[in-house]
Amino acid sequence: MTAHSNKIIQYIKIIVCALLLVSALFFFFRKNAPHTAVPPVTVDQQASRIASSPLDATYIIEGQKVTLTQGKIEKEIFFNATSSMKITVSAFNQPTYVDLNGDGAKDAIFFLYEQLGGTGTFFYVVAAINEGGMYKGLNAIYLGDRVAPQTIDVVNGKVAVNYATVKDSDPTTAKPSVGVTKYVKIQGGQLVEVK
């Protein structure tokens, strides 16, 4: 098989795993199963938490509200009596504080990663808006699987998110070696990528 074929197969596997995870999460929370491994971990479907620290706020990752406690959550999803999967979402670094929405208050932006119990580690950048000293988390922007986060800088008034990824021709097991910069900003109450 070619490297391109291997990548396509890996992307299909990731999509299938993501669909299975979404189905499992829907079933788990709909049934309100009491099997949580580490209470009170929250993939919160009710209300968002606005917190005094961005590491304790609620963020939206792939359409799901995820509430951090001291920068982390862990949850075990049970499929049946003998099968489960542990999900971990964690801050990768301390937040960078910068005014993202032009109101003069220092908002927060940082890297976040998600592990679904397999070999993949999915990285995101998230932001929290400062509302009178309390932080309201926004949506996450996906960066990739097994990337290497570097820095978050302000360049000419834009926020530059710097990380490394693997070459397109490399297997996903290769070390990230290609530098990438994404520019992001707050627009319409959402964190968006700017070209």
Short mmCIF file of all heavy atoms in Angstrom, two decimals, residues 11-74:
data_model
loop_
_atom_site.label_atom_id
_atom_site.label_comp_id
_atom_site.label_asym_id
_atom_site.label_seq_id
_atom_site.Cartn_x
_atom_site.Cartn_y
_atom_site.Cartn_z
N TYR A 11 -7.74 7.93 8.11
CA TYR A 11 -8.82 8.93 8.22
C TYR A 11 -10.19 8.24 8.34
O TYR A 11 -11.05 8.67 9.11
CB TYR A 11 -8.81 9.87 7.03
CG TYR A 11 -7.66 10.86 7.04
CD1 TYR A 11 -6.96 11.15 5.89
CD2 TYR A 11 -7.29 11.50 8.21
CE1 TYR A 11 -5.91 12.04 5.89
CE2 TYR A 11 -6.23 12.39 8.23
CZ TYR A 11 -5.55 12.66 7.07
OH TYR A 11 -4.52 13.55 7.09
N ILE A 12 -10.39 7.17 7.58
CA ILE A 12 -11.66 6.43 7.67
C ILE A 12 -11.82 5.85 9.07
O ILE A 12 -12.89 5.92 9.66
CB ILE A 12 -11.72 5.34 6.58
CG1 ILE A 12 -11.86 6.00 5.19
CG2 ILE A 12 -12.87 4.38 6.84
CD1 ILE A 12 -11.70 5.05 4.03
N LYS A 13 -10.73 5.29 9.62
CA LYS A 13 -10.79 4.74 10.98
C LYS A 13 -11.14 5.83 11.99
O LYS A 13 -11.93 5.61 12.91
CB LYS A 13 -9.46 4.09 11.35
CG LYS A 13 -9.21 2.78 10.67
CD LYS A 13 -7.86 2.20 11.08
CE LYS A 13 -7.55 0.89 10.38
NZ LYS A 13 -6.24 0.37 10.74
N ILE A 14 -10.54 7.01 11.84
CA ILE A 14 -10.82 8.12 12.76
C ILE A 14 -12.28 8.53 12.67
O ILE A 14 -12.95 8.74 13.68
CB ILE A 14 -9.88 9.31 12.48
CG1 ILE A 14 -8.45 8.97 12.90
CG2 ILE A 14 -10.36 10.58 13.19
CD1 ILE A 14 -7.40 9.96 12.43
N ILE A 15 -12.81 8.61 11.43
CA ILE A 15 -14.21 9.00 11.25
C ILE A 15 -15.13 7.96 11.88
O ILE A 15 -16.09 8.30 12.58
CB ILE A 15 -14.52 9.20 9.75
CG1 ILE A 15 -13.79 10.45 9.24
CG2 ILE A 15 -16.02 9.29 9.50
CD1 ILE A 15 -13.79 10.60 7.73
N VAL A 16 -14.83 6.68 11.65
CA VAL A 16 -15.66 5.61 12.23
C VAL A 16 -15.61 5.68 13.76
O VAL A 16 -16.64 5.58 14.44
CB VAL A 16 -15.21 4.22 11.71
CG1 VAL A 16 -15.87 3.10 12.50
CG2 VAL A 16 -15.54 4.09 10.23
N CYS A 17 -14.41 5.86 14.33
CA CYS A 17 -14.28 5.97 15.79
C CYS A 17 -15.06 7.17 16.31
O CYS A 17 -15.72 7.09 17.35
CB CYS A 17 -12.82 6.08 16.19
SG CYS A 17 -11.91 4.52 16.00
N ALA A 18 -14.99 8.30 15.59
CA ALA A 18 -15.71 9.49 16.02
C ALA A 18 -17.21 9.25 16.00
O ALA A 18 -17.93 9.65 16.93
CB ALA A 18 -15.34 10.68 15.13
N LEU A 19 -17.71 8.59 14.96
CA LEU A 19 -19.15 8.29 14.89
C LEU A 19 -19.56 7.35 16.01
O LEU A 19 -20.62 7.53 16.63
CB LEU A 19 -19.50 7.69 13.52
CG LEU A 19 -19.41 8.66 12.33
CD1 LEU A 19 -19.61 7.89 11.03
CD2 LEU A 19 -20.44 9.77 12.47
N LEU A 20 -18.73 6.35 16.29
CA LEU A 20 -19.04 5.44 17.40
C LEU A 20 -19.04 6.18 18.73
O LEU A 20 -19.90 5.96 19.58
CB LEU A 20 -18.03 4.29 17.44
CG LEU A 20 -18.15 3.25 16.33
CD1 LEU A 20 -16.98 2.28 16.38
CD2 LEU A 20 -19.47 2.51 16.43
N LEU A 21 -18.08 7.09 18.90
CA LEU A 21 -18.00 7.86 20.13
C LEU A 21 -19.22 8.75 20.30
O LEU A 21 -19.81 8.80 21.38
CB LEU A 21 -16.73 8.71 20.16
CG LEU A 21 -16.61 9.65 21.35
CD1 LEU A 21 -16.52 8.85 22.63
CD2 LEU A 21 -15.40 10.54 21.20
N VAL A 22 -19.63 9.44 19.24
CA VAL A 22 -20.81 10.31 19.33
C VAL A 22 -22.03 9.49 19.68
O VAL A 22 -22.84 9.88 20.54
CB VAL A 22 -21.00 11.09 18.01
CG1 VAL A 22 -22.35 11.78 17.97
CG2 VAL A 22 -19.88 12.11 17.84
N SER A 23 -22.18 8.33 19.06
CA SER A 23 -23.32 7.46 19.37
C SER A 23 -23.28 7.01 20.82
O SER A 23 -24.30 7.00 21.52
CB SER A 23 -23.32 6.23 18.46
OG SER A 23 -23.45 6.62 17.12
N ALA A 24 -22.08 6.61 21.28
CA ALA A 24 -21.95 6.15 22.66
C ALA A 24 -22.24 7.28 23.65
O ALA A 24 -22.92 7.07 24.65
CB ALA A 24 -20.54 5.60 22.90
N LEU A 25 -21.74 8.47 23.36
CA LEU A 25 -22.00 9.61 24.25
C LEU A 25 -23.49 9.93 24.30
O LEU A 25 -24.05 10.19 25.37
CB LEU A 25 -21.21 10.84 23.79
CG LEU A 25 -19.71 10.79 24.04
CD1 LEU A 25 -19.02 11.97 23.35
CD2 LEU A 25 -19.40 10.79 25.52
N PHE A 26 -24.14 9.92 23.13
CA PHE A 26 -25.58 10.19 23.08
C PHE A 26 -26.34 9.17 23.93
O PHE A 26 -27.18 9.52 24.76
CB PHE A 26 -26.08 10.17 21.64
CG PHE A 26 -27.56 10.37 21.52
CD1 PHE A 26 -28.10 11.63 21.64
CD2 PHE A 26 -28.40 9.29 21.33
CE1 PHE A 26 -29.47 11.81 21.55
CE2 PHE A 26 -29.76 9.46 21.24
CZ PHE A 26 -30.30 10.72 21.35
N PHE A 27 -26.04 7.89 23.75
CA PHE A 27 -26.72 6.84 24.50
C PHE A 27 -26.44 6.98 25.99
O PHE A 27 -27.34 6.89 26.82
CB PHE A 27 -26.27 5.47 24.00
CG PHE A 27 -26.88 4.33 24.77
CD1 PHE A 27 -28.19 3.94 24.53
CD2 PHE A 27 -26.17 3.68 25.76
CE1 PHE A 27 -28.75 2.91 25.25
CE2 PHE A 27 -26.73 2.66 26.49
CZ PHE A 27 -28.02 2.26 26.23
N PHE A 28 -25.17 7.21 26.33
CA PHE A 28 -24.78 7.30 27.73
C PHE A 28 -25.50 8.43 28.46
O PHE A 28 -26.07 8.23 29.52
CB PHE A 28 -23.26 7.50 27.82
CG PHE A 28 -22.76 7.61 29.23
CD1 PHE A 28 -22.61 6.49 30.03
CD2 PHE A 28 -22.45 8.84 29.76
CE1 PHE A 28 -22.15 6.59 31.32
CE2 PHE A 28 -21.99 8.96 31.06
CZ PHE A 28 -21.84 7.83 31.83
N PHE A 29 -25.50 9.61 27.88
CA PHE A 29 -26.11 10.75 28.57
C PHE A 29 -27.63 10.73 28.49
O PHE A 29 -28.31 11.23 29.37
CB PHE A 29 -25.54 12.06 28.02
CG PHE A 29 -24.12 12.24 28.44
CD1 PHE A 29 -23.10 12.11 27.53
CD2 PHE A 29 -23.80 12.48 29.76
CE1 PHE A 29 -21.78 12.23 27.92
CE2 PHE A 29 -22.49 12.62 30.16
CZ PHE A 29 -21.48 12.48 29.24
N ARG A 30 -28.17 10.15 27.42
CA ARG A 30 -29.63 10.05 27.31
C ARG A 30 -30.18 9.12 28.39
O ARG A 30 -31.20 9.38 28.99
CB ARG A 30 -30.01 9.55 25.94
CG ARG A 30 -31.49 9.51 25.71
CD ARG A 30 -31.78 9.60 24.24
NE ARG A 30 -33.18 9.41 23.97
CZ ARG A 30 -34.06 10.38 23.97
NH1 ARG A 30 -33.69 11.60 24.19
NH2 ARG A 30 -35.33 10.14 23.70
N LYS A 31 -29.47 8.04 28.63
CA LYS A 31 -29.90 7.09 29.66
C LYS A 31 -29.50 7.53 31.06
O LYS A 31 -29.92 6.94 32.04
CB LYS A 31 -29.30 5.70 29.39
CG LYS A 31 -29.82 5.07 28.13
CD LYS A 31 -31.28 4.74 28.26
CE LYS A 31 -31.79 4.02 27.02
NZ LYS A 31 -33.19 3.76 27.06
N ASN A 32 -28.63 8.56 31.15
CA ASN A 32 -28.18 9.08 32.45
C ASN A 32 -27.57 7.99 33.31
O ASN A 32 -27.84 7.89 34.50
CB ASN A 32 -29.34 9.77 33.17
CG ASN A 32 -28.84 10.87 34.08
OD1 ASN A 32 -27.67 11.22 34.05
ND2 ASN A 32 -29.73 11.41 34.88
N ALA A 33 -26.72 7.16 32.67
CA ALA A 33 -26.11 6.03 33.36
C ALA A 33 -25.24 6.49 34.53
O ALA A 33 -24.53 7.47 34.42
CB ALA A 33 -25.26 5.22 32.39
N PRO A 34 -25.28 5.79 35.67
CA PRO A 34 -24.53 6.20 36.85
C PRO A 34 -23.13 5.63 36.91
O PRO A 34 -22.55 5.58 37.97
CB PRO A 34 -25.38 5.62 37.98
CG PRO A 34 -25.94 4.37 37.40
CD PRO A 34 -26.18 4.68 35.94
N HIS A 35 -22.53 5.20 35.80
CA HIS A 35 -21.25 4.49 35.82
C HIS A 35 -20.03 5.37 35.67
O HIS A 35 -19.03 4.93 35.17
CB HIS A 35 -21.18 3.46 34.69
CG HIS A 35 -22.38 2.60 34.55
ND1 HIS A 35 -22.90 1.86 35.58
CD2 HIS A 35 -23.19 2.37 33.50
CE1 HIS A 35 -23.95 1.19 35.15
NE2 HIS A 35 -24.15 1.50 33.90
N THR A 36 -20.06 6.62 36.03
CA THR A 36 -18.89 7.46 35.80
C THR A 36 -17.71 6.99 36.64
O THR A 36 -17.84 6.60 37.78
CB THR A 36 -19.18 8.93 36.14
OG1 THR A 36 -19.63 9.02 37.48
CG2 THR A 36 -20.20 9.50 35.19
N ALA A 37 -16.52 7.04 36.02
CA ALA A 37 -15.31 6.59 36.70
C ALA A 37 -14.79 7.64 37.67
O ALA A 37 -14.31 7.31 38.73
CB ALA A 37 -14.24 6.24 35.68
N VAL A 38 -14.84 8.92 37.27
CA VAL A 38 -14.28 9.99 38.09
C VAL A 38 -15.31 11.12 38.19
O VAL A 38 -15.33 12.00 37.35
CB VAL A 38 -12.98 10.53 37.48
CG1 VAL A 38 -12.36 11.57 38.38
CG2 VAL A 38 -12.00 9.41 37.21
N PRO A 39 -16.22 11.08 39.17
CA PRO A 39 -17.18 12.16 39.27
C PRO A 39 -16.50 13.44 39.74
O PRO A 39 -15.48 13.36 40.41
CB PRO A 39 -18.18 11.65 40.33
CG PRO A 39 -17.42 10.63 41.10
CD PRO A 39 -16.35 10.10 40.21
N PRO A 40 -17.00 14.60 39.44
CA PRO A 40 -18.13 14.91 38.57
C PRO A 40 -17.69 15.40 37.20
O PRO A 40 -17.97 16.51 36.82
CB PRO A 40 -18.83 16.02 39.34
CG PRO A 40 -17.68 16.78 39.96
CD PRO A 40 -16.58 15.76 40.19
N VAL A 41 -17.02 14.57 36.44
CA VAL A 41 -16.60 14.92 35.09
C VAL A 41 -17.83 15.25 34.25
O VAL A 41 -18.84 14.57 34.34
CB VAL A 41 -15.84 13.72 34.47
CG1 VAL A 41 -15.53 13.99 33.03
CG2 VAL A 41 -14.59 13.46 35.26
N THR A 42 -17.72 16.30 33.45
CA THR A 42 -18.91 16.79 32.79
C THR A 42 -18.73 16.93 31.30
O THR A 42 -17.91 17.69 30.85
CB THR A 42 -19.28 18.18 33.35
OG1 THR A 42 -19.20 18.14 34.76
CG2 THR A 42 -20.65 18.61 32.94
N VAL A 43 -19.45 16.16 30.52
CA VAL A 43 -19.70 16.53 29.14
C VAL A 43 -21.12 17.06 29.20
O VAL A 43 -22.08 16.33 29.16
CB VAL A 43 -19.56 15.33 28.18
CG1 VAL A 43 -19.90 15.75 26.77
CG2 VAL A 43 -18.16 14.76 28.26
N ASP A 44 -21.21 18.36 29.38
CA ASP A 44 -22.39 19.03 29.88
C ASP A 44 -23.37 19.36 28.76
O ASP A 44 -23.03 20.11 27.86
CB ASP A 44 -21.92 20.31 30.59
CG ASP A 44 -23.03 21.09 31.24
OD1 ASP A 44 -24.18 20.65 31.23
OD2 ASP A 44 -22.73 22.16 31.73
N GLN A 45 -24.56 18.82 28.82
CA GLN A 45 -25.59 19.10 27.83
C GLN A 45 -26.57 20.16 28.31
O GLN A 45 -27.45 20.56 27.56
CB GLN A 45 -26.35 17.81 27.50
CG GLN A 45 -25.49 16.72 26.92
CD GLN A 45 -24.84 17.14 25.62
OE1 GLN A 45 -25.47 17.77 24.79
NE2 GLN A 45 -23.60 16.80 25.45
N GLN A 46 -26.46 20.62 29.54
CA GLN A 46 -27.45 21.53 30.11
C GLN A 46 -26.99 22.99 30.05
O GLN A 46 -27.48 23.75 29.25
CB GLN A 46 -27.75 21.13 31.57
CG GLN A 46 -28.27 19.71 31.71
CD GLN A 46 -29.63 19.54 31.09
OE1 GLN A 46 -30.45 20.42 31.19
NE2 GLN A 46 -29.87 18.41 30.45
N ALA A 47 -26.06 23.37 30.89
CA ALA A 47 -25.67 24.77 31.00
C ALA A 47 -24.15 24.88 30.96
O ALA A 47 -23.44 24.00 31.41
CB ALA A 47 -26.19 25.35 32.30
N SER A 48 -23.67 25.98 30.39
CA SER A 48 -22.24 26.24 30.34
C SER A 48 -21.78 26.84 31.65
O SER A 48 -22.49 27.65 32.25
CB SER A 48 -21.92 27.19 29.21
OG SER A 48 -22.27 26.62 27.98
N ARG A 49 -20.58 26.46 32.08
CA ARG A 49 -20.02 27.02 33.30
C ARG A 49 -19.16 28.22 32.93
O ARG A 49 -18.25 28.12 32.13
CB ARG A 49 -19.18 25.99 34.04
CG ARG A 49 -18.63 26.59 35.33
CD ARG A 49 -17.73 25.72 36.17
NE ARG A 49 -17.57 24.35 35.79
CZ ARG A 49 -16.72 23.55 36.40
NH1 ARG A 49 -15.97 23.96 37.39
NH2 ARG A 49 -16.60 22.31 36.01
N ILE A 50 -19.45 29.36 33.52
CA ILE A 50 -18.60 30.54 33.45
C ILE A 50 -17.82 30.54 34.74
O ILE A 50 -18.38 30.44 35.82
CB ILE A 50 -19.44 31.82 33.27
CG1 ILE A 50 -20.21 31.74 31.94
CG2 ILE A 50 -18.54 33.05 33.29
CD1 ILE A 50 -21.15 32.90 31.71
N ALA A 51 -16.49 30.63 34.65
CA ALA A 51 -15.65 30.40 35.82
C ALA A 51 -14.63 31.52 36.01
O ALA A 51 -14.35 32.29 35.09
CB ALA A 51 -14.92 29.07 35.66
N SER A 52 -14.08 31.57 37.21
CA SER A 52 -13.07 32.59 37.52
C SER A 52 -11.73 32.26 36.86
O SER A 52 -10.86 33.12 36.77
CB SER A 52 -12.89 32.72 39.03
OG SER A 52 -12.48 31.48 39.59
N SER A 53 -11.56 31.04 36.37
CA SER A 53 -10.36 30.64 35.64
C SER A 53 -10.78 30.03 34.32
O SER A 53 -11.73 29.24 34.27
CB SER A 53 -9.56 29.61 36.44
OG SER A 53 -8.56 29.02 35.62
N PRO A 54 -10.06 30.33 33.23
CA PRO A 54 -10.39 29.68 31.96
C PRO A 54 -10.16 28.17 32.00
O PRO A 54 -10.72 27.43 31.19
CB PRO A 54 -9.44 30.36 30.95
CG PRO A 54 -8.38 30.99 31.76
CD PRO A 54 -8.96 31.30 33.10
N LEU A 55 -9.40 27.69 32.98
CA LEU A 55 -9.16 26.25 33.11
C LEU A 55 -10.31 25.52 33.81
O LEU A 55 -10.27 24.30 33.98
CB LEU A 55 -7.85 26.00 33.86
CG LEU A 55 -6.59 26.51 33.16
CD1 LEU A 55 -5.36 26.28 34.03
CD2 LEU A 55 -6.42 25.86 31.80
N ASP A 56 -11.35 26.28 34.20
CA ASP A 56 -12.54 25.70 34.82
C ASP A 56 -13.81 26.00 34.03
O ASP A 56 -14.91 25.77 34.53
CB ASP A 56 -12.70 26.21 36.26
CG ASP A 56 -11.59 25.73 37.18
OD1 ASP A 56 -11.18 24.57 37.05
OD2 ASP A 56 -11.14 26.52 38.03
N ALA A 57 -13.67 26.52 32.83
CA ALA A 57 -14.83 26.93 32.03
C ALA A 57 -15.31 25.78 31.15
O ALA A 57 -14.70 24.72 31.08
CB ALA A 57 -14.47 28.15 31.18
N THR A 58 -16.43 26.01 30.46
CA THR A 58 -17.02 25.05 29.53
C THR A 58 -16.65 25.45 28.11
O THR A 58 -16.75 26.62 27.74
CB THR A 58 -18.55 25.01 29.68
OG1 THR A 58 -18.88 24.61 31.01
CG2 THR A 58 -19.18 24.04 28.69
N TYR A 59 -16.24 24.48 27.31
CA TYR A 59 -15.87 24.70 25.91
C TYR A 59 -16.68 23.77 25.02
O TYR A 59 -17.19 22.74 25.48
CB TYR A 59 -14.37 24.45 25.70
CG TYR A 59 -13.53 25.41 26.51
CD1 TYR A 59 -13.14 25.08 27.81
CD2 TYR A 59 -13.19 26.65 26.01
CE1 TYR A 59 -12.42 25.97 28.57
CE2 TYR A 59 -12.47 27.56 26.77
CZ TYR A 59 -12.08 27.21 28.05
OH TYR A 59 -11.38 28.10 28.82
N ILE A 60 -16.80 24.12 23.75
CA ILE A 60 -17.52 23.27 22.81
C ILE A 60 -16.50 22.60 21.90
O ILE A 60 -15.80 23.26 21.15
CB ILE A 60 -18.53 24.09 21.99
CG1 ILE A 60 -19.55 24.75 22.93
CG2 ILE A 60 -19.24 23.19 20.97
CD1 ILE A 60 -20.45 25.75 22.27
N ILE A 61 -16.42 21.27 22.01
CA ILE A 61 -15.49 20.48 21.20
C ILE A 61 -16.30 19.53 20.33
O ILE A 61 -17.04 18.69 20.85
CB ILE A 61 -14.52 19.68 22.10
CG1 ILE A 61 -13.72 20.63 22.99
CG2 ILE A 61 -13.58 18.84 21.25
CD1 ILE A 61 -12.84 19.94 24.00
N GLU A 62 -16.17 19.69 19.03
CA GLU A 62 -16.90 18.85 18.07
C GLU A 62 -18.39 18.82 18.39
O GLU A 62 -19.03 17.77 18.37
CB GLU A 62 -16.33 17.43 18.05
CG GLU A 62 -14.84 17.35 17.77
CD GLU A 62 -14.42 17.80 16.38
OE1 GLU A 62 -15.30 17.93 15.50
OE2 GLU A 62 -13.23 18.04 16.18
N GLY A 63 -18.95 19.98 18.75
CA GLY A 63 -20.38 20.09 19.01
C GLY A 63 -20.82 19.69 20.41
O GLY A 63 -21.99 19.79 20.73
N GLN A 64 -19.90 19.23 21.25
CA GLN A 64 -20.24 18.80 22.61
C GLN A 64 -19.69 19.79 23.62
O GLN A 64 -18.56 20.24 23.50
CB GLN A 64 -19.64 17.42 22.90
CG GLN A 64 -20.15 16.32 22.01
CD GLN A 64 -21.60 16.00 22.25
OE1 GLN A 64 -22.04 15.91 23.40
NE2 GLN A 64 -22.36 15.84 21.19
N LYS A 65 -20.49 20.13 24.63
CA LYS A 65 -20.02 20.99 25.70
C LYS A 65 -19.18 20.18 26.68
O LYS A 65 -19.61 19.13 27.14
CB LYS A 65 -21.19 21.64 26.43
CG LYS A 65 -21.92 22.66 25.58
CD LYS A 65 -23.04 23.31 26.34
CE LYS A 65 -23.74 24.33 25.48
NZ LYS A 65 -24.86 24.96 26.17
N VAL A 66 -17.97 20.66 26.94
CA VAL A 66 -17.04 19.96 27.82
C VAL A 66 -16.58 20.93 28.90
O VAL A 66 -16.04 21.99 28.59
CB VAL A 66 -15.82 19.45 27.02
CG1 VAL A 66 -14.81 18.79 27.93
CG2 VAL A 66 -16.28 18.48 25.93
N THR A 67 -16.81 20.59 30.15
CA THR A 67 -16.46 21.45 31.27
C THR A 67 -15.18 20.95 31.93
O THR A 67 -15.11 19.80 32.37
CB THR A 67 -17.60 21.51 32.30
OG1 THR A 67 -18.77 22.02 31.66
CG2 THR A 67 -17.23 22.42 33.46
N LEU A 68 -14.18 21.82 31.98
CA LEU A 68 -12.91 21.48 32.61
C LEU A 68 -12.96 21.77 34.11
O LEU A 68 -13.67 22.68 34.54
CB LEU A 68 -11.78 22.31 32.00
CG LEU A 68 -11.52 22.18 30.50
CD1 LEU A 68 -10.40 23.13 30.08
CD2 LEU A 68 -11.19 20.75 30.12
N THR A 69 -12.21 21.02 34.85
CA THR A 69 -11.96 21.28 36.26
C THR A 69 -10.46 21.26 36.44
O THR A 69 -9.83 20.23 36.22
CB THR A 69 -12.64 20.21 37.15
OG1 THR A 69 -14.04 20.24 36.90
CG2 THR A 69 -12.37 20.50 38.63
N GLN A 70 -9.90 22.42 36.78
CA GLN A 70 -8.45 22.59 36.88
C GLN A 70 -7.75 22.12 35.60
O GLN A 70 -6.72 21.47 35.63
CB GLN A 70 -7.90 21.89 38.12
CG GLN A 70 -8.45 22.46 39.40
CD GLN A 70 -7.94 21.76 40.63
OE1 GLN A 70 -7.29 20.72 40.57
NE2 GLN A 70 -8.21 22.34 41.77
N GLY A 71 -8.37 22.45 34.47
CA GLY A 71 -7.75 22.18 33.18
C GLY A 71 -7.93 20.78 32.64
O GLY A 71 -7.31 20.42 31.64
N LYS A 72 -8.81 19.96 33.24
CA LYS A 72 -8.90 18.57 32.81
C LYS A 72 -10.26 17.96 33.12
O LYS A 72 -10.92 18.36 34.07
CB LYS A 72 -7.81 17.75 33.51
CG LYS A 72 -7.66 16.34 33.05
CD LYS A 72 -6.44 15.69 33.72
CE LYS A 72 -6.24 14.28 33.19
NZ LYS A 72 -5.05 13.65 33.76
N ILE A 73 -10.65 16.99 32.30
CA ILE A 73 -11.77 16.11 32.64
C ILE A 73 -11.40 14.69 32.22
O ILE A 73 -10.62 14.49 31.29
CB ILE A 73 -13.12 16.50 32.00
CG1 ILE A 73 -13.09 16.26 30.49
CG2 ILE A 73 -13.51 17.90 32.31
CD1 ILE A 73 -14.46 16.23 29.87
N GLU A 74 -11.93 13.73 32.92
CA GLU A 74 -11.82 12.33 32.54
C GLU A 74 -13.19 11.71 32.70
O GLU A 74 -13.89 11.99 33.67
CB GLU A 74 -10.82 11.58 33.42
CG GLU A 74 -9.38 11.98 33.20
CD GLU A 74 -8.41 11.20 34.09
OE1 GLU A 74 -8.88 10.46 34.98
OE2 GLU A 74 -7.20 11.34 33.88
#
